[in-house]
Amino acid sequence: MPAAERLLAGLLIRGPGADFVVGDLAEGWHHDRSGLGARRARRRLRRRILASARAWWAPGAWRARRRAARGGSGRPDGRAVVRQGGDGMGGWTGDARYAVRTLIRRPVLALGVVLTLGLGVGATTAIYSVVDTVLLRPLDYEDAGRLVAVGTTFPGREWSAEADGLMHLAGTSYLNFVEFEGARAFEALGGLESAGVLMPDQGNGPELVTAARVTEGFFRTLRVSPALGRLFHPEEYVQGEDAGPVLLSHGAWTRRFGADPGVLGRTLGSAGGGGVIVGVLPPGFETPEVVAAHTPEFWMPLQGGHPRYASRGRRSLILIGRLADGATVNDARAEMTALADRLAADHPDGNVYPDGSHFGAGVNGLLEETVGPSARMLVLFLGAAGLLLLIAVLNATTLLTARALDRSTELGVRMALGAGSARVVRLLLAESVVLSVAGGALGALVGYAGVEAFVRYGQASLPRMDEVAVDARVLAVTLAVALASGIAAGLLPALRVRRGTLAGLHARGGREAGTRMRNALVTLQLAVAVLLLSGAGVLFHSFVALRSADPGFQPAGLMSFQMGVKRPGAPEGEETWQAWDRILEEVRATPGVTAAAAASNVPFQSPSWAPRVLLPGEPEDTRRDGVAGYVVTPGYLDVLGIPLRQGRDFTRTDGPDGPWVAWVNEAWVREHHPTDTEVLGSTLRMVDEASQEWREIQVVGVVGDVVQSRAEEGARPAVYLPYTQADWPLVQPLMAVARPPEVMAPEIRRSVARFSGMVPVQALMSLEDRIRATRTSPRFHAVLLGTFAAVALLLASAGLYASLAHAVGRRRRELGIRMALGARRQGLRGMVMLQAARTAGLGIVLGLGGALLLNRTLRGYLFEVQPDDPVALTGAAAVLAVVALAAAYLPARRATSVDPAEVLRAE
């Protein structure tokens, strides 16, 4: 504002309305000056000052001033107004109203800050919603903090390799569970064994329904009461001859019986004879995920006297306990270790290996066991969201700093008229609060969308995903984060004003300091963007390597399913391998099936058999971990396209009465025949599951390695036996099909129904879908962090653009004079681009340095890629450099669009 107008305003305007008037005039003068000639702007400003002066000296205005002096409120024109010089809520409200009015005059800047904060707060809200549900909230059980998971530990593998502080727990035998029930560290201890109930055909084929057998202490441990009927009586846990009692889940009661309260006493009506329904569990009751992946529909008492529980080697029970008052997880671990040592001494059968090592027992907190290794991954995602929020705050700070520099005239007038620096700081912070509230509202919407996307496309193995939602608790955190972010963004320019003086706001040194601060903020944004880009690049490179990894077979055009071979009405004396043959006959007769074979397990499925295999001369107490066992039919290699490196295929002559033969894979050869010793014709020893006697097996072939579970895990040593020499009750046919899977599926079901209408077909899918399902986690990790990196890159480039555009706008006069004195436009454009290159270069160097340190946290999620992968780091730097230079091009071009003649006329 020119000196004359400033003096006139100081003489004419006094009182409680001065802040409004001077603020309006100063802001209006700057706004008009930027769009009109200086002479026209001065005329308009003088008219507004005179209008304000008339209102000040108008009749009746003195009454408003007296009311204001006594603590009331008023304006010279008689309109009510909140005092701007006062303290408390009234002053802040007036500041907020004035902030809204001034931001409306600069909508582009306000929209930029709101969008920036909204994206940062929204990403943080979405990830925090997942972290809050999965990691922070207690499980939905009474006094859930005392619930623990209990299980067997293997010698040498007592602790989890994926999650620090967690024991590696497996199932427990019923007889060992009975011993564990006496532990003083537990108030209650219960066990669950998964089962299945075959429901009759209702038009869509027989249905195998999830069920569970539970011990007497299971419901007492979880403190569950029935919604209808009763729980099991103690005597019902003792084996009887009649159909046993059955509990229904609330979902099964509603879906299958129409929520009929008269269901009690009915017979279940399953294909196996059913049981009598005695109760319905309460709505909302879910089994802990570590106990059962899906809540069973039917519940039955586990009758420990059944012969199936006579062996301590049958570890089929998953245990859950409730700690006694005053007991801790460490207390329970110590007591269970002592119990396991005593069981190994008193009952070595099933508890002790031949080499003398024995199974142990371990305890984990139930929440920690449920979350498992997912905790580390979620913390990494929350850290990435925090970095994105940091970029948003830095970007908003850059924009607000530029705005504060543009408002130096207005702020100087305020301070000249007596406003203290604290008063000016409060006004600037009011604008930040208004922007942060708007950004928080946008962030909540972005958070809702992010949570929906996370739940829909997130990895299926993440626990408690069905509970994730944006609720009042998360919204409160969102508001707090938004306010903190907005205040942090406005604090730096506000404090700079507070430290400055009126002269400092206009001095060249003050402007240069503001420019340096703005460049530093942009540099930090670019550095954090490089950090996120490099992390996303490393994960993406890992995912590409994972997708291109050779699975060891040709999955295109292959389908598989699983079913049991035991069926009602089977011919008397039918052997398991004969049932396999019958099923394959029906499958091969299906229209569209060009070839078929069968196996006990298919690739990309964890092998369910780990046989004990010994080399010649090894004693029987030798332990060998990690051998994958398969039972296959002739033609298995041809259907899957697995190479036969040496030897021959299985034939019909490899029957149940012939010599035992086997294949081994290349991983077996590398581990046990590293010196090119002859593999074909060598012998192995293996226990016959039927007779429990050692038998010699001749190796007749070496096959290529096939991924057994996940590509990240590679292939471990494997042994293949012909289906006629191993009694395996589950068969998984593999079919080469000539038509799409969705067309073949109903045809295959109809064909298999000719084998038995009582045995359901399970997991019917293409092998490509099975492979794809194992890649959901790596793909999701890469996509999520890549999304964060893309948003960070967008915000950082926008910050660079805004900073350069503001700098060019403030230097238009200087650039015009340079061109008037003969400077070339290309040189001026290069000067602006060079400034951008320096800022981007420093940001890239800082970001790469941070990436070399922080990318190490991704090591556990990488496949054949190192955290310091040069491709990812170089790519991140290149992408940022290109985007930064592109963002700088428009300001550089604008710098050369100044008309020197217009600048000289203005001078």
Side-chain angles (χ1 to χ4, degrees), residues 645-661:
R645 304 299 188 190
Q646 301 178 43
R648 64 172 177 85
D649 196 352
F650 294 143
T651 65
R652 287 287 182 180
T653 60
D654 300 318
D657 299 326
W660 276 35
V661 295

Side-chain angles (χ1 to χ4, degrees), residues 202-228:
Q202 300 294 331
N204 296 318
E207 182 183 4
L208 188 63
V209 180
T210 58
R213 300 184 185 94
V214 294
T215 66
E216 186 175 355
F218 183 82
F219 293 121
R220 188 170 66 252
T221 300
L222 294 177
R223 295 181 178 175
V224 177
S225 299
L228 183 68

